[in-house]
């Protein structure tokens, strides 16, 4: 006769179930970090602290805003829009047809008057409006490898449609280089030429690391449709600074790019004669072209936004500090009674 041993359930059912629960539980091991019980700073924002904080921000921000505005107002700018005025009167009803007609065009003479003494260096910019250099297909239409290294001249997979001609790969390839700005400016005062220095207008890091000293233009602007300026095939890309400046694409549709620097002072009421070559096509997309002469301050170019932003924030903080001060004086809190703190109040259900 055989007997079957039945496990006893009278040993410790509670401990067995508890151990099973511990094995199956996903609860993390207890620690003060996981349970958020570490010592922490819990500041109590009393009226005095809040008023002091707002007042401190206003004391710091308002002087910075005033200084920024004065620095911006010290910058002297001359802005001249010429895209419409530099079209002959007989062709102004068909501007696009005029600018797309091949061949030389007559120079345009513009006259600028210096409104205030301008100290050197005076920066010469061209400004384009409604030109979207940040368009995805436009931004991607370039080959950084080709620009850096002569051995990568055939790396043109990202440059379509300006990637190659029947004579081989285009260097530099892509739509950005193809659309290089090609308006020209010549300056004179009292029939004496005013020299514009075009050296050092690009970023040093771009010249040294992004554009190779052994990379030369090849088959550039040799197709059927000419997009912009041509490049000297005997000069390496690292020295063609107009191209380097243009290849650093702008983030906004209205932008300025540096054309050169005038390294002499200009006196008030002097008249500058500008001989302008109007070649760049902005008429097909309703763009605008402007010539800008500007000085700089310790804060950079003319920009009132930074000063206005500091004054706005500082003024708002000063107003809040005064408002809280008045409220605090009219109806002060009972600091001796901590019951105004939510965690010291008695629950309503007790």
């Amino acid at each position: 006769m055989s007997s079957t041993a039945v496990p006893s359930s009278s040993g410790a059912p509670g401990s067995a179930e508890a151990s099973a629960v511990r094995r199956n539980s996903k609860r993390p091991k207890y620690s003060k970090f996981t349970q958020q019980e570490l010592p922490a700073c819990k500041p109590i924002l009393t009226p005095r602290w809040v008023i002091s904080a707002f007042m401190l921000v206003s004391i710091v921000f308002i002087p910075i805003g005033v200084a920024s505005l004065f620095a911006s107002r010290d910058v002297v700018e001359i802005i001249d829009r010429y895209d419409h005025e530099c079209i002959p009167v007989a062709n102004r009803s068909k501007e696009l047809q005029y600018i797309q007609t091949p061949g030389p065009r007559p120079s345009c003479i513009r006259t600028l008057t210096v409104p205030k003494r301008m100290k050197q260096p005076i920066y010469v910019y061209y400004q384009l409006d409604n030109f979207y250099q940040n368009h995805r297909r436009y931004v991607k239409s370039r080959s950084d490898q080709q620009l850096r290294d002569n051995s990568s001249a055939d790396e043109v997979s990202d440059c379509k449609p300006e990637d190659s001609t029947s004579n081989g790969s285009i260097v530099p390839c892509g739509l950005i280089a193809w659309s290089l700005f090609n308006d020209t400016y010549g300056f004179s005062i009292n029939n004496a030429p005013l020299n514009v220095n075009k050296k050092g207008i690009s970023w040093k890091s771009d010249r040294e690391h992004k554009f190779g000293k052994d990379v030369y233009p090849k088959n550039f602007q040799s197709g059927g449709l000419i997009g912009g300026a041509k490049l000297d095939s005997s000069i390496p890309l690292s020295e063609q600074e107009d191209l380097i400046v243009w290849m650093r694409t702008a983030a906004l549709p209205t932008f300025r790019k540096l054309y050169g620097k005038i390294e002499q002072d200009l006196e008030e009421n002097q008249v500058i004669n500008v001989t302008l070559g109007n070649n760049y096509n902005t008429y097909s997309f309703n763009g605008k072209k402007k010539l800008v002469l500007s000085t700089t301050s310790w804060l950079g170019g003319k920009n009132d936004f930074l000063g206005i932003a500091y004054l706005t924030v500082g003024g708002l903080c000063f107003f809040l500090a005064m408002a809280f001060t008045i409220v605090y004086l009219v109806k002060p809190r009972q600091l001796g009674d901590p019951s105004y703190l939510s965690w010291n109040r008695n629950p309503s259900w007790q």
Side-chain angles (χ1 to χ4, degrees), residues 170-321:
I170 299 175
V171 181
C173 68
L175 288 174
I176 305 177
W178 174 78
S179 60
L180 175 61
F181 187 78
N182 62 342
D183 281 6
T184 58
Y185 310 113
F187 301 88
S188 64
I189 296 179
N190 297 327
N191 295 324
L194 189 61
N195 294 326
V196 177
N197 183 9
K198 296 178 72 67
K199 293 290 184 181
I201 61 174
S202 60
W203 289 20
K204 183 179 179 181
S205 59
D206 288 353
R207 296 194 301 269
E208 295 182 351
H209 303 293
K210 293 188 176 182
F211 293 82
K213 297 180 180 179
D214 60 343
V215 182
Y216 292 84
K218 183 176 65 174
N219 300 321
F220 186 69
Q221 302 287 24
S222 60
L225 184 61
I226 305 301
K230 296 186 177 182
L231 299 175
D232 191 336
S233 59
S234 64
I235 300 177
L237 296 186
S238 61
E239 297 180 15
Q240 308 226 23
E241 297 199 46
D242 284 331
L243 173 69
I244 298 174
V245 170
W246 180 259
M247 293 291 286
R248 182 168 283 278
T249 53
L252 300 175
T254 297
F255 59 86
R256 294 178 181 179
K257 290 187 180 291
L258 187 59
Y259 181 83
K261 294 178 288 186
I262 297 174
E263 296 178 330
Q264 72 177 65
D265 295 345
L266 298 179
E267 301 300 329
E268 185 176 355
N269 296 325
Q270 275 190 316
V271 177
I272 306 172
N273 294 314
V274 183
T275 304
L276 195 149
N278 183 26
N279 304 307
Y280 200 70
N281 181 11
T282 57
Y283 306 96
S284 58
F285 53 87
N286 296 321
K288 301 175 184 177
K289 294 188 289 187
K290 297 176 184 177
L291 172 64
V292 180
L293 275 65
S294 176
T295 60
T296 58
S297 67
W298 59 270
L299 200 59
K302 190 176 186 65
N303 186 358
D304 291 342
F305 173 78
L306 188 63
I308 293 173
Y310 271 105
L311 284 176
T312 301
V313 175
L316 180 62
C317 289
F318 182 78
F319 171 78
L320 292 175

Side-chain angles (χ1 to χ4, degrees), residues 81-219:
R81 180 183 174 184
Y82 63 87
D83 53 282
H84 179 71
E85 297 297 329
C86 283
I87 297 289
V89 177
N91 300 100
R92 288 183 181 175
S93 61
K94 44 185 177 179
E95 295 175 334
L96 181 59
Q97 180 181 346
Y98 171 81
I99 205 70
Q100 289 180 336
T101 302
R105 300 179 184 86
S107 298
C108 176
I109 307 299
R110 304 289 293 167
T111 301
L112 308 177
T113 302
V114 180
K116 186 178 177 182
R117 187 172 188 269
M118 302 177 74
K119 296 182 180 179
Q120 64 169 318
I122 301 166
Y123 295 92
V124 181
Y125 301 92
Y126 55 89
Q127 177 176 319
L128 298 180
D129 294 3
N130 201 35
F131 191 116
Y132 288 83
Q133 269 199 321
N134 60 349
H135 192 284
R136 183 180 62 85
R137 293 184 63 187
Y138 184 87
V139 170
K140 292 180 64 177
S141 185
R142 62 185 293 165
S143 174
D144 290 321
Q145 291 180 334
Q146 183 198 67
L147 296 174
R148 281 194 304 264
D149 189 5
N150 187 42
S151 63
S152 301
D154 294 328
E155 294 286 341
V156 295
S157 58
D158 295 330
C159 294
K160 292 181 180 181
E162 293 298 320
D163 53 348
S164 61
T165 65
S166 58
N167 297 323
S169 300
I170 299 175
V171 181
C173 68
L175 288 174
I176 305 177
W178 174 78
S179 60
L180 175 61
F181 187 78
N182 62 342
D183 281 6
T184 58
Y185 310 113
F187 301 88
S188 64
I189 296 179
N190 297 327
N191 295 324
L194 189 61
N195 294 326
V196 177
N197 183 9
K198 296 178 72 67
K199 293 290 184 181
I201 61 174
S202 60
W203 289 20
K204 183 179 179 181
S205 59
D206 288 353
R207 296 194 301 269
E208 295 182 351
H209 303 293
K210 293 188 176 182
F211 293 82
K213 297 180 180 179
D214 60 343
V215 182
Y216 292 84
K218 183 176 65 174
N219 300 321

